[in-house]
Amino acid sequence: MNASDTGVASTEFAYGAGHVDPIAALNPGLVYELDKADHITFLCGLKYSSKTLRLITGEAVNCTGNTLPRNLNYASMTAKRARSNSPFTVTFNRTVTNVGTPNSTYISQIVLNHGTKLSFKVSPSVLAMRSVKEKQSFTVTVSGSNIDPKLPSSASLVWSDGTHKVRSPIVVYTDIPDSI
């Protein structure tokens, strides 16, 4: 897809995570599971007050630790960087659950979008799932510098076992200056 006004390939901000394939959704292979505690941890990372958290959850919540909102176990990964030419590294932590077949091996692939000048590393790059409902964690490390505020840098992580393709968009962007 191209942005009509620029002729440049669109990013995740234009089309999101993509179209849903209802047939493939019945057998996704891997899922990113979330529960109430994950959402509360995310809101704590956003510095929600105890009063606001009580309104949302209906119970008293005490935030502990310093959790980064970008580590919510969600398929999409995004990080906002300050406008700067200095190099940076951002790490995303995720856990997937095997809902496919036992004894399946998922290999990671990073698909770069047009104009992306970032480096990506997935660790581990292969997930060997021995049983259904098995959980495995991985990290995605993104490095780079000098992000164009007019065109966010993006890519996709795709886990594939040859049958399933589990796609996760990754976006790193900066504040957009008022002059744009």
Side-chain angles (χ1 to χ4, degrees):
M1 291 190 290
N2 287 332
S4 59
D5 59 338
T6 65
V8 174
S10 298
T11 65
E12 277 74 12
F13 284 126
Y15 57 81
H19 295 285
V20 173
D21 178 343
I23 302 302
L26 294 172
N27 182 15
L30 298 174
V31 294
Y32 293 83
E33 292 186 300
L34 289 166
D35 61 18
K36 183 178 179 179
D38 293 312
H39 289 281
I40 291 171
T41 301
F42 173 73
L43 295 174
C44 286
L46 292 175
K47 308 292 187 221
Y48 275 53
S49 69
S50 294
K51 181 179 178 182
T52 303
L53 287 169
R54 184 177 188 83
L55 289 170
I56 294 170
T57 64
E59 59 192 56
V61 174
N62 291 318
C63 295
T64 58
N66 189 14
T67 303
L68 297 171
R70 73 171 170 255
N71 287 327
L72 176 68
N73 198 46
Y74 197 67
S76 297
M77 300 173 218
T78 185
K80 179 180 171 184
R81 306 295 308 155
R83 275 183 275 156
S84 169
N85 293 340
S86 62
F88 66 88
T89 298
V90 176
T91 301
F92 301 96
N93 300 306
R94 296 292 188 272
T95 300
V96 289
T97 303
N98 181 23
V99 295
T101 57
N103 298 316
S104 54
T105 300
Y106 287 86
I107 299 171
S108 66
Q109 177 187 8
I110 295 290
V111 180
L112 299 176
N113 287 335
H114 176 76
T116 297
K117 298 175 185 171
L118 302 177
S119 298
F120 296 83
K121 181 180 178 195
V122 181
S123 183
S125 60
V126 176
L127 301 176
M129 298 292 194
R130 298 293 163 231
S131 61
V132 176
K133 296 189 180 177
E134 179 179 351
K135 296 177 184 298
Q136 288 197 24
S137 298
F138 63 92
T139 60
V140 176
T141 303
V142 182
S143 305
S145 63
N146 205 16
I147 296 174
D148 181 353
K150 296 178 187 174
L151 184 63
S153 294
S154 62
S156 295
L157 164 63
V158 179
W159 289 105
S160 179
D161 65 352
T163 301
H164 305 96
K165 287 189 176 185
V166 182
R167 181 179 171 276
S168 297
I170 306 167
V171 176
V172 179
Y173 66 99
T174 62
D175 291 327
I176 298 175
D178 294 335
S179 61
I180 293 180

